[in-house]
């Protein structure tokens, strides 16, 4: 779901310690962060309020607001209140770490969703469970899963249907299963491939591997060459969209891509991608600090275990989906299970701390095929009025190859949030694509 450090930065600037979430016992802050408490608070107020239009709310104020609105049960004891604050904090940090342009509204939404969940403490931070919430429809998709050997690694993919080929590419933390509502529909008129990117889903997660957007793009290009064997339409969500853009640009001379579909395209692999705003440039020392603490194995492991808890995942998903009914137990399991596999922690740290990769505006000029952009207008991660969203919104005026459709009341993952709206625009566009000469 695919990423910036807005909530993490928000907590550190306000003078909060990462130990509240990570459980560390006090790592020394870099020199840039060693400022007086009053200066921390002032900096937080100025940067956040100027960039987002309001001052950040404290967890206590959010909790008080929830009590006033009747969202917190009366009579909660101190332990229950502490558990609720912890959930709110973990949810806010998760949104901040993985969202490049996360607004305070996104963080507020995560906190509010956490408040709506039960305040009972989890018996274990482990997400492993014998119970499965996978439906027969998704089981049928998983039953067609295959393996492709790529550069010595095992890559999971699936294929269904017949007709012109389409390759579906998921976002950060997702996998083939995130296309559960789309594969069957698209397979009615296309040969549909869905792939797990290296380090995610059921694909290999090599230890100490340096993940980059360029590596994933190379994986897609090689997959088209070696598995699909003919020009293909690439369809991606979030960082999957960015991987598709890079692949389309790289493969242009080879005529391997017939079309590119972007569903709420990310601006980069992680929180270092969006630096167009001078206020975000001021926060670069904090982004480096986040990288620093994530590269401490014990801290990263504790944080990752909390982030991947079932309750936290559901909270975060509810904050980025507009259609709350789509955030069901099956979706949580789709995200959860790969996070419990060997190498998942290393992949998480590498993706968050690695280079952000090329920006969309540097790639579009090299792409010769038609581009369809579908954007959920209620995306808190990459909002349509953010730097990346504004770029794509203006693009059709200067680039005739690009079509843009805003999807009303849709969040960051349109294909799963409101698949009907995506299919309504995608299927006719696919049908009219010309064959490559």
């Amino acid at each position: 779901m695919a990423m910036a450090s807005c909530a993490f930065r928000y907590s550190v600037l306000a003078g909060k310690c990462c130990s509240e979430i990570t459980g560390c016992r006090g790592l020394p802050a870099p020199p840039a962060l060693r400022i007086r408490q009053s200066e921390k608070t002032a900096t937080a107020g100025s940067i956040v309020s100027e960039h987002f239009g309001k001052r950040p709310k404290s967890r206590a104020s959010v909790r008080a607001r929830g009590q006033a609105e009747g969202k917190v049960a009366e009579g909660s004891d101190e332990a229950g209140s502490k558990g609720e604050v912890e959930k709110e904090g973990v949810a806010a940090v998760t949104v901040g770490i993985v969202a490049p342009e996360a607004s305070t509204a996104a963080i507020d939404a995560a906190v509010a969703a956490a408040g709506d969940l039960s305040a009972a403490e989890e018996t274990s931070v482990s997400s492993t469970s014998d119970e499965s919430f996978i439906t027969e429809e998704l089981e049928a998709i998983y039953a067609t899963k295959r393996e492709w050997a790529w550069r010595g690694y095992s890559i999971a993919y699936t294929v269904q249907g017949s007709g012109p080929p389409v390759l579906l590419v998921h976002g950060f933390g997702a996998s083939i299963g995130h296309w559960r509502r789309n594969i069957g529909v698209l397979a009615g008129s296309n040969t549909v491939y869905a792939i797990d990117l290296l380090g995610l889903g059921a694909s290999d997660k090599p230890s100490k591997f340096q993940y980059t957007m360029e590596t994933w793009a190379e994986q897609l290009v090689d997959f088209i060459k070696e598995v699909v064997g003919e020009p293909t339409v690439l369809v991606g969500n979030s960082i999957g969209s960015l991987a598709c853009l890079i692949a389309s640009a790289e493969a242009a001379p080879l005529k391997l891509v017939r079309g590119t579909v972007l569903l709420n395209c990310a601006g980069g692999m992680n929180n270092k991608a969006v630096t167009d705003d001078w206020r975000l440039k001021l926060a670069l020392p904090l982004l480096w600090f986040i990288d620093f603490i994530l590269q401490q194995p014990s801290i990263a492991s504790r944080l990752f275990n909390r982030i991947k808890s079932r309750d936290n995942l559901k909270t975060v998903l509810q904050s980025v989906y507009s259609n709350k009914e789509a955030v069901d137990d099956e979706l949580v399991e789709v995200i959860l299970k790969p996070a419990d596999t060997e190498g998942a922690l290393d992949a998480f740290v590498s993706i968050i701390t690695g280079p952000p990769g090329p920006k969309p505006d540097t790639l579009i000029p090299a792409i010769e095929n038609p581009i369809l952009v579908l954007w959920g207008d209620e995306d808190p991660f990459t909002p349509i009025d953010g730097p990346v969203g504004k770029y794509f919104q203006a693009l059709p005026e200067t680039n005739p190859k690009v079509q843009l459709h805003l999807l009303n009341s849709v969040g960051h993952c349109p294909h799963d949030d409101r698949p009907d709206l995506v299919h309504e625009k995608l299927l006719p566009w696919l049908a009219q694509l010309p064959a490559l000469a």
Side-chain angles (χ1 to χ4, degrees):
M1 279 173 310
M3 321 200 158
S5 59
C6 186
F8 221 134
R9 182 172 71 245
Y10 167 68
S11 296
V12 176
L13 281 171
K16 301 200 179 290
C17 178
C18 64
S19 65
E20 294 179 15
I21 304 303
T22 64
C24 78
R25 291 297 176 264
L27 286 169
L33 295 178
R34 293 172 189 164
I35 52 180
R36 293 192 304 272
Q37 181 69 29
S38 60
E39 292 173 328
K40 291 179 184 178
T41 306
T43 306
S46 61
I47 292 179
V48 178
S49 64
E50 286 181 24
H51 184 62
F52 298 116
K54 60 180 179 179
R55 286 186 177 272
K57 298 179 177 67
S58 68
R59 296 178 193 166
S61 68
V62 172
R63 188 166 64 256
R65 181 185 64 189
Q67 290 173 332
E69 295 174 354
K71 292 181 180 178
V72 180
E74 295 182 3
S76 298
D77 59 19
E78 184 178 350
S81 178
K82 180 180 178 182
E84 182 182 335
V85 171
E86 185 174 278
K87 283 185 180 180
E88 293 171 354
V90 176
V93 167
T94 305
V95 170
I97 289 176
V98 302
E101 302 172 54
S103 63
T104 47
I107 298 168
D108 283 349
V111 170
D116 289 338
L117 293 173
S118 167
E121 293 282 343
E122 292 181 287
T123 57
S124 171
V125 295
S126 173
S127 55
T128 304
S129 171
D130 292 334
E131 185 178 7
S132 176
F133 298 98
I134 302 300
T135 62
E136 291 183 1
E137 291 79 7
L138 185 51
E139 285 287 6
I141 292 174
Y142 286 159
T144 66
K145 197 175 289 186
R146 306 179 184 185
E147 291 186 6
W148 168 53
W150 181 66
R151 300 183 181 180
Y153 303 116
S154 175
I155 302 298
Y157 76 96
T158 186
V159 57
Q160 291 189 23
S162 61
V166 173
L167 175 56
L168 307 179
V169 186
H170 61 78
F172 177 60
S175 61
I176 290 169
H178 206 201
W179 301 102
R180 55 187 178 149
R181 307 183 194 274
N182 317 107
I183 291 176
V185 174
L186 297 176
S189 53
N190 297 271
T191 301
V192 180
Y193 296 85
I195 192 170
D196 282 344
L197 295 173
L198 182 69
L200 299 168
S203 289
D204 278 353
K205 303 171 183 64
S207 177
K208 308 304 180 184
F209 189 88
Q210 179 60 65
Y211 295 91
T212 66
M213 293 302 312
E214 292 87 347
T215 299
W216 285 331
E218 291 167 7
Q219 177 185 337
L220 300 181
V221 172
D222 288 347
F223 185 82
I224 296 173
K225 291 179 182 177
E226 298 177 19
V227 179
V228 181
E230 61 180 299
T232 303
V233 174
L234 293 175
V235 181
N237 172 230
S238 191
I239 61 169
S241 287
L242 185 56
C244 290
L245 273 183
I246 301 171
S248 294
E250 293 294 326
L254 304 176
K255 305 293 185 183
L256 291 176
V257 179
R258 293 180 59 232
T260 308
V261 182
L262 311 175
L263 306 176
N264 289 63
C265 184
M269 186 172 73
N270 54 40
N271 58 24
K272 293 180 283 296
V274 183
T275 57
D276 298 336
D277 192 301
W278 65 268
R279 287 159 292 224
L280 293 179
K281 291 179 181 179
L282 288 179
L284 280 175
L286 294 176
L287 304 186
W288 297 333
F289 179 58
I290 291 168
D291 285 1
F292 171 72
I293 64 172
L294 285 177
Q295 287 166 359
Q296 313 308 308
S298 61
I299 297 176
S301 177
R302 181 181 286 268
L303 177 61
F304 185 61
N305 283 336
R306 291 183 178 233
I307 284 177
K308 70 176 183 174
S309 71
R310 183 174 292 276
D311 277 357
N312 184 61
L313 283 176
K314 193 163 189 176
T315 296
V316 173
L317 289 167
Q318 286 175 339
S319 74
V320 299
Y321 273 59
S322 292
N323 175 18
K324 308 305 180 187
E325 293 182 0
V327 183
D328 52 18
D329 290 327
E330 180 180 69
L331 175 61
V332 174
E333 187 162 342
V334 164
I335 307 296
L336 200 71
K337 289 300 183 184
D340 277 333
T341 57
E342 184 177 358
L345 172 59
D346 280 352
F348 170 78
V349 172
S350 177
I351 293 168
I352 294 299
T353 62
K359 295 182 179 181
D361 60 344
T362 67
L363 300 167
I364 294 290
I367 297 176
E368 300 174 355
N369 57 254
I371 300 172
L372 175 65
V373 181
L374 302 180
W375 210 282
D377 68 344
E378 293 183 356
D379 181 358
F381 276 13
T382 49
I384 191 62
D385 59 352
V388 178
K390 286 181 179 178
Y391 168 74
F392 279 107
Q393 199 167 16
L395 196 56
E397 297 178 5
T398 59
N399 191 327
K401 298 191 298 289
V402 178
Q403 290 185 32
L404 168 72
H405 297 281
L406 293 182
L407 305 180
N408 295 328
S409 300
V410 179
H412 184 64
C413 308
H415 59 292
D416 196 56
D417 195 333
R418 286 294 306 274
D420 54 323
L421 298 183
V422 170
H423 298 153
E424 180 182 293
K425 302 298 183 183
L426 177 57
L427 288 171
W429 186 85
L430 289 173
Q432 57 81 41
L433 272 182
L436 287 180

